[in-house]
Amino acid sequence: MTGRQHRSGGPETDLGEGDVIMARANERVQLLVNELRDARRFPIRQLTNLVLFHVLRFLASASLPLSQRRSRRFLRSAEKRDPDRMAIPDTFIKFLDRYPEALITPPKDFDTDWYTLTYPDVNKSLCDPLEHFMLYGHAEGRRANSLHRSKDVAHARLDKLKEPQPSDELALFVTFAPGGKIKPHVPQYLCALKQAGISTILIVAADNPDAVQTVDLIEKVDGLFVRQNGGFDFAAWAHVAREIEFTGVRSIFLVNDSLVGPFTIKGFNHILARVRGSDAELIGMTNSIELKQHLQSYFVVAKNDGVGALLDFLKTVRILEDKWQVIFSYEIQMASYFRSRGLTAEPLFPSFESTNPTVQLWRELIAQGFPFVKVEVIRNPNTIGWKSVLRAEGFDVEVAEKSVDLINTLTNNETISNKTTENQ
C-alpha cells in the first residue's frame, strides 16, 4: 500500500502499514484498559488520559503528528480492525466524545529532568514522569517545566518607601499586611534584628499596597518596600533582591512573619551566635524530611560563598500562585542547590521525624532553646497550653493574641493561603 497525504499536506504513514505499531498499541492499551478498569483504580477521566498517553507515544514512535483527534481516530481504527483484541469500553469512547477538553495532550516542552527533580515523589511512585503528569500532576496543579504557570517576579507592583542601607549582615523580612495593617508581633521581631546589628529590609506584601500603614515602621528598618501580593515569600525576596546592592554583604537572612518571637533577646542572640559560628554556607532553624531532606524557609541564612549562591538561586524564582508549588519548586530545592555547588547546608534544630517539627513538635523545640512559636500553632483552636508556655519563656502573650485576632478578623474577606507560606 502507498502512503496517503494528511489533510494539512504533510506526508503520513497509513495506519494500515504500521502492523508492528498496531500490535504493540493493541496489546499495551488493552492491558491498561482491562487492568485499570477491573481494579477500579482510576475514574474514567484518569483512565482515558492514561490510555491517550500511551497511544500518543505509539504515534510518536511512528513519526506521526501528535494530536488528540489523531489518537481518537487511531483507537477507533484499531477497534474496527481487530475488535477482539481492542475492545475499548463503550464508556471510554463516550467519554472521548463528550469531554474532549478533559483530555491532556502531553506538553511539547515537558522537562523530564526538571519534573523529577522538583517532585521527588515521582521517583518513589516508579511512574514515568510524563505519565505521572498526565495522570496526576496536571490535575494537582503541578508544572511541566520551570516556566509553566508562572510569571516574572517584576510582574507585581513594588514601591520603595525607604532606600536600603545594607550592612555586612542583611535581613530580607517579608510580612503580609491583612487589610493593610501590620501584625502586632512583627515590630518586636524587627527590633530584635536591629538590636543584633542586622540591617533589616522590610517587604510588606499587600493586596492593596496603597492601604498599607507604614508610618510607624520607617524608623524600625533599614529599608522599606511595599509589594503587591503575589508569589508568596520567595517571589518577594527575589523581587526586592534585584533592588539591592550586595557588595560587602557577608550574610543574608531570609525571614518572614510566620514566627511569633523571639521570646527574649538573650535567646535570640544565642541563636545568632550559633549561626555566626557555623561553618555551613546555608543555615536554617529547622529541617524537614517530608518529600525530601530540606531546610524550612521561614528563617534561613546564607553566609560567605553562600551569599552569591543564594542570589543566583533567587534569580530562578518566579511568581507561582499555588503554595505547594512554591514549596516544591523553591523551598525543598534550596539546600540541594547549595550542595550542587559544593556548599554545605545545616539546620540548627535537626529533625528526623516525617512531620513538620515547628507544628507537631513545637513544645520540644522550645524546650531545646527555639525562641519562637509558629503563628499556625497558636491560631489552631486545638492547640492547648501555648499561652502558659509563652509566659514561662518571658513573652508578652497579649502581643501574640492581638496578631491572631487581626489575622482571624481580616482574613475572613481575604485568602490567607495566598499570602505567606506559614507552614514553610
Side-chain angles (χ1 to χ4, degrees):
M1 295 178 66
T2 59
R4 56 191 172 88
Q5 296 292 311
H6 182 51
R7 292 180 183 178
S8 64
E12 173 180 332
T13 303
D14 192 342
L15 291 177
E17 295 180 351
D19 294 334
V20 175
I21 297 173
M22 282 290 293
R24 290 175 58 208
N26 287 344
E27 181 180 352
R28 178 59 174 155
V29 172
Q30 185 60 56
L31 178 65
L32 286 165
V33 169
N34 289 338
E35 176 187 347
L36 299 180
R37 178 184 57 184
D38 295 344
R40 296 185 179 182
R41 290 167 57 189
F42 301 109
I44 186 63
R45 177 174 296 195
Q46 285 185 312
L47 174 58
T48 304
N49 274 324
L50 180 59
V51 174
L52 177 63
F53 165 78
H54 286 284
V55 170
L56 288 169
R57 276 262 174 105
F58 292 130
L59 293 175
S61 70
S63 300
L64 295 173
L66 302 181
S67 72
Q68 291 181 9
R69 183 179 66 178
R70 180 176 295 279
S71 65
R72 290 195 292 272
R73 187 173 66 188
F74 179 90
L75 287 170
R76 290 189 177 86
S77 174
E79 188 175 36
K80 289 178 181 178
R81 291 169 186 268
D82 196 347
D84 293 334
R85 294 184 61 193
M86 194 65 182
I88 302 297
D90 289 340
T91 52
F92 180 82
I93 297 296
K94 290 178 181 178
F95 188 86
L96 283 169
D97 292 332
R98 187 173 181 182
Y99 302 107
E101 73 284 351
L103 303 182
I104 307 162
T105 299
K108 296 179 180 179
D109 55 356
F110 183 81
D111 188 332
T112 299
D113 292 340
W114 180 90
Y115 192 80
T116 54
L117 177 65
T118 303
Y119 305 111
D121 55 329
V122 174
N123 287 326
K124 296 178 182 178
S125 72
L126 301 179
C127 192
D128 178 277
L130 182 54
E131 184 175 334
H132 184 281
F133 176 78
M134 294 186 66
L135 265 179
Y136 312 104
H138 184 273
E140 294 171 353
R142 302 196 189 202
R143 302 189 296 146
N145 57 64
S146 62
L147 300 181
H148 188 207
R149 296 174 179 164
S150 70
K151 294 179 288 189
D152 186 88
V153 294
H155 182 82
R157 169 181 163 184
L158 183 67
D159 299 332
K160 184 191 301 181
L161 303 188
K162 184 175 182 178
E163 186 70 31
Q165 300 172 8
S167 63
D168 60 343
E169 293 184 312
L170 173 68
L172 298 179
F173 189 119
V174 175
T175 181
F176 173 70
K181 296 183 179 180
I182 303 299
K183 303 182 187 83
H185 72 278
V186 169
Q188 183 165 331
Y189 197 168
L190 295 174
C191 289
L193 289 165
K194 191 176 185 68
Q195 287 185 44
I198 300 170
S199 176
T200 303
I201 312 301
L202 181 63
I203 310 162
V204 182
D207 290 328
N208 179 8
D210 294 325
V212 176
Q213 303 166 10
T214 60
V215 175
D216 296 333
L217 297 174
I218 295 292
E219 299 305 318
K220 291 183 172 65
V221 295
D222 301 286
L224 177 60
F225 292 83
V226 175
R227 185 176 184 271
Q228 180 185 8
N229 187 55
F232 301 90
D233 303 336
F234 273 96
W237 287 325
H239 196 175
V240 170
R242 298 181 181 183
E243 306 294 319
I244 298 175
E245 174 56 57
F246 287 95
T247 302
V249 175
R250 295 186 298 105
S251 299
I252 299 177
F253 291 66
L254 299 183
V255 291
N256 66 24
D257 66 358
S258 67
L259 295 177
V260 169
F263 301 146
T264 64
I265 294 299
K266 181 180 179 180
F268 189 47
N269 285 340
H270 179 67
I271 293 297
L272 294 178
R274 293 182 62 189
V275 169
R276 291 162 177 159
S278 172
D279 293 328
E281 286 82 16
L282 185 69
I283 303 102
M285 283 275 209
T286 54
N287 68 302
S288 172
I289 61 174
E290 290 183 297
L291 302 175
K292 77 172 186 179
Q293 180 76 248
H294 65 279
L295 298 178
Q296 295 185 289
S297 62
Y298 61 83
F299 183 106
V300 290
V301 185
K303 294 172 52 182
N304 303 325
D305 291 342
V307 169
L310 178 61
L311 295 178
D312 288 343
F313 180 79
L314 291 177
K315 291 175 183 177
T316 70
V317 172
R318 295 176 62 81
I319 292 177
L320 307 178
E321 297 301 343
D322 181 88
K323 178 182 70 175
W324 279 104
Q325 296 313 307
V326 173
I327 293 174
F328 272 120
S329 298
Y330 305 127
E331 179 176 80
I332 72 171
Q333 305 304 330
M334 186 160 47
S336 296
Y337 179 85
F338 271 64
R339 294 187 182 106
S340 72
R341 295 179 58 152
L343 304 176
T344 56
E346 69 170 11
L348 298 182
F349 298 89
S351 172
F352 305 97
E353 303 290 336
S354 297
T355 186
N356 184 341
T358 59
V359 176
Q360 276 76 36
L361 303 174
W362 64 275
R363 292 176 184 271
E364 290 84 348
L365 281 174
I366 291 175
Q368 294 172 33
F370 186 77
F372 296 94
V373 68
K374 275 281 190 172
V375 172
E376 179 183 353
V377 170
I378 64 177
R379 284 189 69 202
N380 186 342
N382 295 319
T383 301
I384 299 173
W386 67 267
K387 295 181 183 179
S388 59
V389 172
L390 266 61
R391 287 194 187 98
E393 294 295 323
F395 189 77
D396 186 352
V397 172
E398 186 177 356
V399 172
E401 289 177 318
K402 288 181 178 179
S403 285
V404 171
D405 290 342
L406 175 65
I407 295 170
N408 291 340
T409 299
L410 295 180
T411 54
N412 287 333
N413 298 320
E414 300 178 15
T415 307
I416 188 75
S417 62
N418 194 28
K419 312 309 176 186
T420 56
T421 43
E422 285 194 350
N423 69 333
Q424 289 185 344

